[in-house]
């Protein structure tokens, strides 16, 4: 998982067992980007209850940008951008599956040339609409 430079500096300065754990899982690739090593298919900062140890102990501001954005998704198709939620977040999944209509699918104008085949996009959008009907 990508970790921004501001968070890397904060994690290297962090004291206590949380700081020690973060430093144990941080690594830098040859290109210079920093990452938090994923272990057993999950973030090592996820507690057994599925919540984030960093946020629980230090608050939202202590999260790296990747985690502050999570569980929000952003897909830029050129002429429009979709915003959504990751089902891998327990709370987002709970809301989506138990409170139909309480969450919002949002599209915003991208203003650029489309980066997709229009026929393929139409199939995707129709399929998604059916899936949302079933989910509701």
């Amino acid at each position: 998982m990508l970790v921004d430079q501001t968070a890397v500096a904060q994690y290297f300065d962090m004291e206590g067992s949380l700081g020690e754990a973060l430093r144990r899982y941080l690594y830098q690739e040859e290109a210079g980007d920093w990452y938090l090593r994923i272990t057993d298919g999950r973030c090592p900062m996820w507690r057994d209850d599925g919540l984030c140890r960093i946020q629980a102990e230090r608050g939202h501001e202590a999260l790296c940008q990747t985690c502050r954005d999570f569980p929000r998704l952003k897909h830029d198709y050129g002429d429009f951008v979709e915003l959504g939620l990751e089902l891998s977040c327990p709370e987002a999944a709970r809301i989506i599956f138990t409170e139909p209509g309480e969450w919002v699918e949002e599209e915003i104008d991208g203003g650029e040339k489309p980066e997709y085949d229009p026929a393929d996009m139409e199939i995707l959008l129709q399929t998604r609409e059916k899936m949302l009907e079933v989910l509701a």
Side-chain angles (χ1 to χ4, degrees), residues 25-70:
Y25 291 107
L26 278 172
Y27 69 96
Q28 189 174 29
E29 290 196 340
E30 287 183 32
D33 291 331
W34 285 88
Y35 292 86
L36 197 61
R37 186 171 285 107
I38 301 301
T39 56
D40 298 326
R42 60 186 285 155
C43 175
M45 295 297 113
W46 278 2
R47 302 182 315 191
D48 289 339
D49 63 4
L51 300 177
C52 175
R53 179 179 175 193
I54 301 168
Q55 185 163 354
E57 293 182 23
R58 300 292 173 110
H60 185 74
E61 281 67 38
L63 297 173
C64 67
Q65 188 63 50
T66 300
C67 294
R68 277 195 304 263
D69 291 344
F70 181 80

Side-chain angles (χ1 to χ4, degrees), residues 9 55 70 75 77 91 95 114 122:
Q55 185 163 354
F70 181 80
H75 295 286
Y77 294 102
E91 183 62 10
I95 291 168
E122 187 58 33

